Amino acid sequence: MVLVDSSVWVDYFNGLETPESSRLDALLGREPVAIGDLIQLEVLQGFRHEREFKIACRLFAHLTTFDLLGQQLVMKAAQNYRSLRVRGITIRKTTDTIIATFCIANEIPLLYSDRDFTPFAEHLGLQPA
């Protein structure tokens, strides 16, 4: 199973061919693909047209959806953020810290194109997909 970040979904739905969106296209229908509730929110709120919104909703309905944050992960996400900050790395979005921490804690590879995930892979054990 692979969790896919909004950075990849946005490129995929916009028809941008990147290594990550091509990988997502190859995975869909062949391997288990998952999405997190916060990722789904980020993607869905970006659609301007109802037709595209509904297409995405239908696709997401076939994926495994995870609730990304609970009390245990709140503490772990805060620790991960602080651990990176001590190294001089500041993560720009709290959502990215939550997503990375969820993937690390559950040993789920993350497909992403957002550079904020790289420190989690380099220092905290995030598995890039």
Side-chain angles (χ1 to χ4, degrees), residues 17-104:
E17 201 155 319
T18 66
E20 295 82 12
S21 65
S22 296
R23 169 90 200 250
L24 172 58
D25 192 49
L27 289 171
L28 287 171
R30 292 180 185 91
E31 292 187 37
V33 173
I35 190 166
D37 54 356
L38 295 173
I39 297 166
Q40 192 172 5
L41 172 62
E42 286 181 325
V43 175
L44 292 176
Q45 69 188 8
F47 286 103
R48 292 189 178 136
H49 303 287
E50 190 68 17
R51 180 177 180 276
E52 288 83 10
F53 175 82
K54 287 181 178 179
I55 289 169
C57 288
R58 281 194 299 274
L59 173 60
F60 290 161
H62 295 285
L63 305 179
T64 299
T65 302
F66 290 111
D67 295 331
L68 296 178
L69 194 59
Q71 188 57 43
Q72 288 180 330
L73 282 180
V74 166
M75 299 307 292
K76 188 62 182 161
Q79 291 169 344
N80 285 344
Y81 181 88
R82 295 178 73 243
S83 173
L84 292 174
R85 193 174 63 194
V86 165
R87 291 181 163 102
I89 302 164
T90 301
I91 303 303
R92 296 174 295 159
K93 295 182 286 183
T94 300
T95 304
D96 291 345
T97 301
I98 294 166
I99 294 165
T101 300
F102 176 87
C103 289
I104 293 165

Side-chain angles (χ1 to χ4, degrees), residues 2-15 20-21 24 28 33-36 39-40 43 47 56 59-60 63 111 113:
V2 172
L3 189 79
V4 180
D5 179 54
S6 60
S7 57
V8 178
W9 285 112
V10 168
D11 288 347
Y12 178 80
F13 284 120
N14 285 326
E20 295 82 12
S21 65
L24 172 58
L28 287 171
V33 173
I35 190 166
I39 297 166
Q40 192 172 5
V43 175
F47 286 103
L59 173 60
F60 290 161
L63 305 179
L111 181 59
S113 61

